[in-house]
Amino acid sequence: MPHIHLPEHLPGITGLLEYRLDTALPIRELTQLLLRGDSSLSEGERELIATLISTRNKTAFCTAAHTSAAEMLLGDGTLVEQVKQNYETAPVSEKMKALLHIAALVQKSGKAVTPDAVERAKNAGATDREIHDTVLIAALFCLYNKYVDGLATALPADESYYSLLGKRITEKGYMRPPGGYPPPS
């Protein structure tokens, strides 16, 4: 049960973002820019970073939502599960392994990111912007995970909700739709 009154039909982060539209707007804008904006990393690769962080933080709602989105964008649920289990042995590029390693270090502590980790990413072909954006995506999802868990948001009653949510965020992005999310009739 959530620690504060939230719209019952909006589990997870969606209910929190509806609760405070003023604080939600900049968070949504940053998420849209980082995960759907111009980048040399694919949308699927950026969703993998979000998925890895949420998995490591054990945030059930965010893990399921971003797993769904990553699977849809990459067209490969097995790959997403392999990354969640062990990104170092998953069949992704060396650059992506190095970036996921940086993200995993950020999840522990920003100070855990070492010059060696950054050098590994650069040697694998990562640009300064890709390293920057990886750190920022990882930090942002640590914020989201703590936000969702810190207010004990509800999980959806039906697991199929995650497929619908994954479809919504892959097709429409992270911005609030006009009119919000009315309760089901």
Side-chain angles (χ1 to χ4, degrees), residues 60-80:
F61 180 87
C62 298
T63 298
H66 294 284
T67 295
S68 178
E71 288 173 349
M72 288 177 190
L73 289 165
L74 296 169
D76 188 347
T78 302
L79 171 65
V80 176

Side-chain angles (χ1 to χ4, degrees), residues 9 86 97:
H9 69 288
N86 184 346
K97 287 178 185 179

Side-chain angles (χ1 to χ4, degrees), residues 8 12 24 29 36 55 58 65 71 75 86-87 97 127 148 154 170:
E8 291 182 23
E29 288 174 337
R36 294 295 175 270
T55 300
K58 298 177 176 36
E71 288 173 349
N86 184 346
Y87 59 85
K97 287 178 185 179
T127 66
V148 165
T170 58

Side-chain angles (χ1 to χ4, degrees), residues 8-15 36 47 51 54-55 58-73 80-81 84 145 148-149 152-171 173-174:
E8 291 182 23
H9 69 288
L10 298 175
I13 192 72
T14 311
R36 294 295 175 270
E47 285 289 347
T51 300
S54 298
T55 300
K58 298 177 176 36
T59 303
F61 180 87
C62 298
T63 298
H66 294 284
T67 295
S68 178
E71 288 173 349
M72 288 177 190
L73 289 165
V80 176
E81 288 305 315
K84 288 164 52 176
N145 299 158
V148 165
D149 288 341
T153 63
L155 295 173
D158 182 355
E159 289 286 315
S160 68
Y161 177 86
Y162 294 115
S163 294
L164 296 172
L165 182 57
K167 184 175 180 175
R168 183 177 80 213
I169 61 178
T170 58
E171 292 178 358
Y174 289 92

Side-chain angles (χ1 to χ4, degrees), residues 7 11 17 24 32-33 38 59 67 70 83-85 94 98-99 104-105 107 118 134 139 143 146 149 168 176 180 185:
L17 295 174
Q32 181 70 20
L33 177 67
D38 183 44
T59 303
T67 295
V83 166
K84 288 164 52 176
Q85 294 302 311
E94 289 304 312
L99 292 172
L105 292 171
Q107 183 267 332
V118 172
T134 295
L143 174 145
K146 290 173 191 287
D149 288 341
R168 183 177 80 213
R176 183 179 189 261
S185 44

Side-chain angles (χ1 to χ4, degrees), residues 97-107 113 117-118 121 131 134-135 138:
K97 287 178 185 179
L99 292 172
L100 289 166
H101 180 65
I102 288 172
L105 292 171
V106 169
Q107 183 267 332
V113 179
V118 172
I131 294 166
T134 295
V135 169

